[in-house]
Amino acid sequence: MFEGVIGQELAKGYLARAVTSGRLAHAYLFHGPAGVGKRTLARMFLKAVACVNRMDGACGLCPPCRMFAAGTYPDLCVLSGANRPIGIDQVRQMQRGLRYRPYGTRHLCLIEDAEEMTVEAANTLLKTLEEPEGPALFILTGSRPDRLPPTVVSRCLKIPFRPLTRDEIIAGLENMGFKGDILPVAAALSRGSLGRAAEAAAGREDERRGKAVSLAGALVSGLGTAELCARARELGERTELLALTEWLLLWYRDLLWWRETQNTGLLVYADHLDEVRRQAGRVTTPVLVQAINVIEDVRKKLLANANVRLAAEVLCLRLAELVQGGRA
Ligand SMILES: [Zn+2]
C-alpha cells in the first residue's frame, strides 16, 4: 500500500490495517526524526482514505485519487509550519472549512511540523480535536512532539517513526538517482534521515560539478603536457573519475547547446554562463562533438577496468588538444 516509502514497517503496517478495516482514529500524530518519510506517508495514507476503490491503498484512477494527484482534492486542508509558525488565523480558517459538508466522507486535515504552531493556534485546534464540527480526520506530523501542548498530543493516536537504517538510506538515495561511492558517505552523514543524506550526496555532487568546471577551464588555458598529466593525477580513483566525467560531458553538451541555440534555458551550467560563452566561442561544433566522444570513450574504458591513471591522462591530453586547437 505504501510502495516507495523507505522503512517504517511498523507505521506502514498499522496504517494499512486502519485503511483496509475502515477503523480510523480521529487524529494521528506522526512523530520521529526529520527526513524519514512522515509527510510522504501521511499524504499516501490520506489519499488511500479518500480513494473510493480502496482495497490495497489508493487505486490511482478514481476521481478522488486523480484530484489528489493534481493537488485539487477539495476535502484536503494542509497547514505547514516548515517555514513559519502556524498562526491562529490559519487554524480558524481550517475550522471554518470543516463546517461545510465534505465532498467525500470526511475532511482531511494535515498539519505538518505541528510543533511550529503558536500556543493560541494549538489551543484553538484543541477545541476541534475535542469536539469536531463535522466528519474529519487529522494528521499532525512533527519531530518535536514535546513542544506541542500535552492536551493536543493526548487527543492523537501516536505513530512513531524511527531513524532509517544504513541500507534503507542507500536504497532511498538510489531511488533518488544517486549512485556510486557517494552512497555510503552520505549514509554515514545522514543520522538516519534520508533528507539529510540527500543533502550530503548533493553537496558532493556540487563539488564534482565545480571540479569539472575548473578542469574544463584548465584544458583551454594552454597548459603543457607535463602540467596536464599532473592535473590528470589529481582527478581521483575510478568511481570518482567516472562521476567527474559525467559532469564533464554535461559541460561540453552545454557548450554545444550554447553554440547551436544561444539559449540559456536548458543549460546545466547556466551559473557559469560567461565561461560557457567564452569556451563555446573558441571551438567549432565538430570539435565539441569529438570532445564528447573522447569523454564517452574514456568512460567506456574505465568501466572495462582500464588503468585509471592512463585513462585520466588520455582524457586531459586529448581534450586539451581538441579545445586548444579547435578554434572556430
Ligand atoms: Zn482511488
Side-chain angles (χ1 to χ4, degrees):
M1 176 178 298
F2 299 114
E3 290 92 4
V5 179
I6 305 288
Q8 314 304 349
E9 270 59 36
L10 203 73
K12 285 194 284 191
Y14 185 87
L15 295 172
R17 281 192 298 280
V19 172
T20 43
S21 69
R23 282 199 292 272
L24 300 168
H26 169 56
Y28 294 87
L29 172 61
F30 290 7
H31 65 95
V36 298
K38 297 190 297 294
R39 292 180 203 192
T40 311
L41 203 54
R43 285 169 188 272
M44 288 172 104
F45 178 56
L46 291 175
K47 187 178 176 188
V49 169
C51 173
V52 295
N53 299 319
R54 78 175 105 111
M55 288 169 295
D56 182 26
C59 73
L61 301 168
C62 69
C65 279
R66 284 162 189 263
M67 284 190 272
F68 233 95
T72 57
Y73 187 64
D75 297 340
L76 177 67
C77 173
V78 182
L79 302 184
S80 171
N83 297 318
R84 57 197 169 98
I86 298 166
I88 189 168
D89 291 345
Q90 287 165 275
V91 174
R92 283 201 178 128
Q93 194 183 355
M94 183 188 75
Q95 286 171 329
R96 280 195 291 277
L98 298 182
R99 290 185 201 137
Y100 299 100
R101 235 182 77 176
Y103 160 85
T105 54
R106 72 198 84 206
H107 293 283
L108 305 174
C109 304
L110 175 58
I111 306 182
E112 297 174 333
D113 295 286
E115 66 266 20
E116 300 301 329
M117 252 184 301
T118 64
V119 175
E120 300 77 41
N123 285 332
T124 306
L125 176 69
L126 181 62
K127 290 194 197 94
T128 302
L129 291 178
E130 284 169 339
E131 293 167 40
E133 288 192 54
L137 170 66
F138 287 85
I139 299 184
L140 282 62
T141 72
S143 52
R144 293 288 309 273
D146 54 305
R147 285 170 53 197
L148 278 167
T151 43
V152 168
V153 175
S154 70
R155 291 277 157 189
C156 301
L157 186 65
K158 289 176 274 302
I159 308 282
F161 283 62
R162 59 171 174 76
L164 299 173
T165 64
R166 181 181 182 279
D167 287 350
E168 286 167 349
I169 294 276
I170 288 181
L173 289 172
E174 282 172 342
N175 273 353
M176 296 165 89
F178 293 107
K179 53 191 173 201
D181 63 336
I182 211 166
L183 301 179
V185 178
L189 294 170
S190 69
R191 277 179 280 152
S193 156
L194 185 56
R196 202 175 288 135
E199 272 173 29
R204 184 74 171 282
E205 289 302 325
D206 269 355
E207 199 183 299
R208 284 177 178 145
R209 182 176 184 271
K211 233 166 123 181
V213 175
S214 152
L215 179 62
L219 295 175
V220 288
S221 68
L223 296 180
T225 305
E227 290 158 306
L228 285 168
C229 287
R231 197 72 206 219
R233 280 196 292 280
E234 293 164 7
L235 298 184
E237 284 314 304
R238 191 176 313 270
T239 42
E240 184 59 34
L241 188 54
L242 275 167
L244 178 70
T245 51
E246 286 192 39
W247 284 110
L248 209 54
L249 271 176
L250 291 171
W251 175 263
Y252 289 106
R253 283 193 183 134
D254 264 13
L255 299 194
L256 199 57
W257 177 256
W258 175 258
R259 271 198 72 81
E260 296 299 305
T261 68
Q262 255 100 69
N263 179 346
T264 55
L266 288 175
L267 292 183
V268 173
Y269 293 96
D271 52 334
H272 292 278
L273 185 58
D274 285 347
E275 191 59 17
V276 167
R277 210 183 268 155
R278 187 178 78 84
Q279 291 188 28
R282 288 174 55 108
V283 290
T284 60
T285 295
V287 162
L288 289 173
V289 173
Q290 279 183 63
I292 288 167
N293 288 341
V294 165
I295 300 170
E296 273 171 351
D297 195 44
V298 166
R299 286 178 56 77
K300 259 183 231 147
K301 292 201 168 98
L302 282 169
L303 290 167
N305 252 358
N307 181 296
V308 177
R309 190 168 151 194
L310 198 64
E313 285 179 3
V314 168
L315 180 76
C316 291
L317 293 172
R318 285 285 294 127
L319 284 179
E321 187 189 343
L322 278 168
V323 296
Q324 286 179 26
R327 287 176 189 285

